[in-house]
Every structure is written in C-alpha cells, then in structure tokens.
Amino acid sequence: MHLAISLNIAAADGQDVLNFGQISALVRNAEAAGVDMVIISDSADTPSSSPFEATTLLAALATVTDRIGLVASASTLAHQPYNLARRFASLDIISHGRVGWNATTAQNPREAANFSRPEGFSDDDFRRRAREFINIVRLLWIGWEHDALLFDKASGRFHDPDKMHPANFTGEFFSVRGPLNVARSPQDVPVLVMSGLAGTELDFASRRADVVLLDKLESSGARATRDEIKHRAHEAGRDPVAIKVLATADAGSEHDGRSLEDLCLSSGCDGIVLTVQPRAAAVEAFVERLLPELKRHGFAKAQPGKTLRDRLGLSEDSKP
C-alpha cells in the first residue's frame, strides 16, 4: 500500500506559517518512515500567505532528502506549458528522478484574476484548455531522446538532430514549437499526478495520469471511481496496473493506522494520501503519533529503485 502526504503551505489569515526548517523536518521524517511521496501545494480560495512557492520549495527539499518523491501542485492557469515543462524537467534532474507534477484541474477564480483573466474561463473552456496544456507538457518532456545530447566539442556536435523531436503544436489555446532546452528526465518523464477530477475528466486522467488522487469519499464511492479509472485505462490500451489510484483522508485524530488500512483495503485503492494541516502542532502530532502506526500497518513498503517511478512501480511513459 502506497502512502503519500499532502501539505498545503498556504496559511489562512491569522495562522502560523510553517518555516523551511519545520517543512523539511516533516519531509525527512516521512522519508525515514518510508513514505513514497510528499505533495506540496500553495494555493487557497481565500486570502492566504506563505513565504514559499511550491516548485521552488521542491528544489530546496531535494537537497536535504535522498529517496522520497517530491510533487508540486501547479495549475494550468498560472503557467505557460513551456515554462512549466522546463521547470519540472529541471527539478527532476536536481532530485535525480524524484519529481512529479500534480496537475490541479479545478479552476480557482482568485488565481485567474492574477493572470489577466479576471472573468476566468467557462467550465467547458477551462477543461479543454487544461487538457491541451497537459498534452503539450508531455510532448515537451519527450522532445529529446535519452542519448540525443552529445556535447561533443571535438566534432562541434551539441546534439543528434535525428533524436530531437520538436512539439510543433498548434491548438485551440496554445502554440508551442519546442523542444525544451533541458535534457530528458532521469525517470523518462516526471510523474504526472492528477487531482480534483470531475466525472467528465476521468477519461482523460485514465489516458494520461500516472497517479490519480481521489477526493474524500466513502470506501464504496472510492472503489467505484477506482474501478472506472482502471477500466477506462484498459480501454485506452494501458495496463491498469500502470496507473495508481490513491484515496484521500485527513491525517487528523479521528484516524489511526487500523482505520486507514481498512479504508485502503475496502476502497481497493493502491494506497492513501494523507492531508496534513500546515500547523506546527498538527505536523508534530502526525510525525509522533500517526506515522509510526502507518508503518506498522504495512504502508509505504517501497519497491527498489532510485526514482519516484521506481518507488511507485510505474513503467517509463514515453507515449505522447
């Protein structure tokens, strides 16, 4: 059973803000306990504050950890596909293949107003735009074959042109030539996590995502959604094992190791993602009380390998 931790570092007005020492201590404790990955986000629907931007924080966390997967949430509203693809490819190199992108597909009106779209998008336009965005990022991630960059000073050859594949993408919302000016990811491509999915987005996620995070659901609802995702993945020609579905639960005091094990088993999911509140007391309680229990109940028995894909038992994914 896989185990992930979700931490939203956006603090509401009046809340204490976690500093880097507190965040890095949580992540190192999670790594020591065998947690597969930590998912960092930094957005909220209400006014909030945080001294960190999620992807920048990942770069810092990569320097103080060795094995745990590092995933950052980044919306398709706040970025351009080329810049986001380049940033995560670079982070994957810095972390030696431990990075993932949590593509949040829910529209945040406050966010849209900060990026020249005060009126936001219609729900249908937003969904189409998000799908196009994700497809472009995936194309850019595979723009270089693994051995395309030669750096041969003697011959003056920087790369093998036959192993470079520009995206040359022109769509409804974006036009991107490519390729990236960053080498191929150590784990083929960074892990694509998708969350906040409506029913209409399950088909796209089943074709594209490596990991799907389910919203807080009863075990029966989680099982039905999990079965639907795996079925659609099979219909799309993917091995259903190649997509991991994690049920979301709060890491609060109402849960213990046994109840979370029962939730995971009854839902049929591949593991759970625990939401830890960004408060010093909540982080301390999680590390001291719940984390040891989870380890006793069989969570986070990682597969061998150095990358996040290895840890989650995911194959390389070079399909466009």
Side-chain angles (χ1 to χ4, degrees):
M1 293 181 287
H2 293 293
L3 176 61
I5 295 172
S6 176
L7 181 69
N8 189 338
I9 57 175
D13 289 344
Q15 279 187 340
D16 293 335
V17 175
L18 294 178
N19 60 39
F20 180 71
Q22 292 167 316
I23 295 171
S24 61
L26 167 63
V27 175
R28 289 197 303 271
N29 278 309
E31 180 176 65
V35 173
D36 292 295
M37 60 184 177
V38 60
I39 303 163
I40 303 290
S41 55
D42 62 350
S43 64
D45 294 332
T46 57
S48 62
S49 61
S50 171
F52 308 111
E53 184 273 328
T55 60
T56 309
L57 182 60
L58 248 59
L61 291 172
T63 67
V64 297
T65 56
D66 299 306
R67 302 180 308 279
I68 193 169
L70 303 169
V71 179
S73 297
S75 82
T76 56
L77 264 178
H79 304 273
Q80 285 290 312
Y82 186 92
N83 284 340
L84 185 140
R86 182 171 183 256
R87 184 177 306 167
F88 277 94
S90 180
L91 284 169
D92 207 51
I93 293 170
I94 291 170
S95 67
H96 304 290
R98 295 186 287 129
V99 158
W101 169 35
N102 180 22
T104 53
T105 58
Q107 184 172 191
N108 184 333
R110 292 181 58 83
E111 194 170 57
N114 288 328
F115 294 92
S116 305
R117 296 294 303 220
E119 73 283 3
F121 291 90
S122 70
D123 289 342
D124 186 57
D125 283 352
F126 183 83
R127 282 193 292 269
R128 296 200 318 277
R129 184 180 181 277
R131 291 170 187 163
E132 189 172 299
F133 189 113
I134 292 168
N135 283 334
I136 294 169
V137 169
R138 286 170 49 85
L139 281 172
L140 290 169
W141 278 342
I142 61 172
W144 296 103
E145 294 184 25
H146 290 288
D147 56 351
L149 299 181
L150 303 175
F151 302 111
D152 188 344
K153 292 183 180 180
S155 66
R157 298 182 72 203
F158 170 73
H159 71 280
D160 182 343
D162 292 333
K163 297 182 178 181
M164 179 189 76
H165 308 290
N168 289 327
F169 184 95
T170 301
E172 182 181 3
F173 298 94
F174 300 102
S175 177
V176 181
R177 184 185 65 182
L180 293 178
N181 55 355
V182 177
R184 186 69 171 256
S185 165
Q187 56 179 339
D188 188 41
V189 297
V191 170
L192 177 61
V193 180
M194 293 187 69
S195 61
L197 300 175
T200 55
E201 296 158 341
L202 291 182
D203 187 65
F204 181 76
S206 70
R207 294 170 181 269
R208 290 289 181 253
D210 297 304
V211 179
V212 172
L213 309 182
L214 302 184
D215 290 335
K216 297 175 182 177
L217 299 168
E218 296 297 328
S219 59
S220 58
R223 177 175 285 276
T225 305
R226 175 259 186 200
D227 289 347
E228 181 67 18
I229 291 170
K230 299 276 188 175
H231 172 73
R232 294 190 188 197
H234 175 73
E235 291 293 307
R238 295 182 72 187
D239 182 351
V241 175
I243 181 169
K244 304 299 180 182
V245 181
L246 306 184
T248 305
D250 197 315
S253 58
E254 69 275 12
H255 285 302
D256 56 21
R258 174 67 67 186
S259 66
L260 290 169
E261 181 186 21
D262 291 344
L263 170 64
C264 187
L265 293 175
S266 62
S267 69
C269 289
D270 301 293
I272 59 172
V273 53
L274 290 174
T275 302
V276 179
Q277 295 302 312
R279 300 190 303 273
V283 168
E284 182 179 359
F286 173 74
V287 169
E288 293 184 358
R289 182 189 68 84
L290 191 53
L291 201 51
E293 281 197 33
L294 291 167
K295 190 172 182 179
R296 285 197 300 271
H297 283 271
F299 284 96
K301 291 184 178 178
Q303 298 197 29
K306 296 181 179 180
T307 71
L308 180 54
R309 284 189 176 278
D310 292 336
R311 191 176 191 102
L312 296 175
L314 298 169
S315 62
E316 290 189 353
D317 186 3
S318 56
K319 293 181 180 179

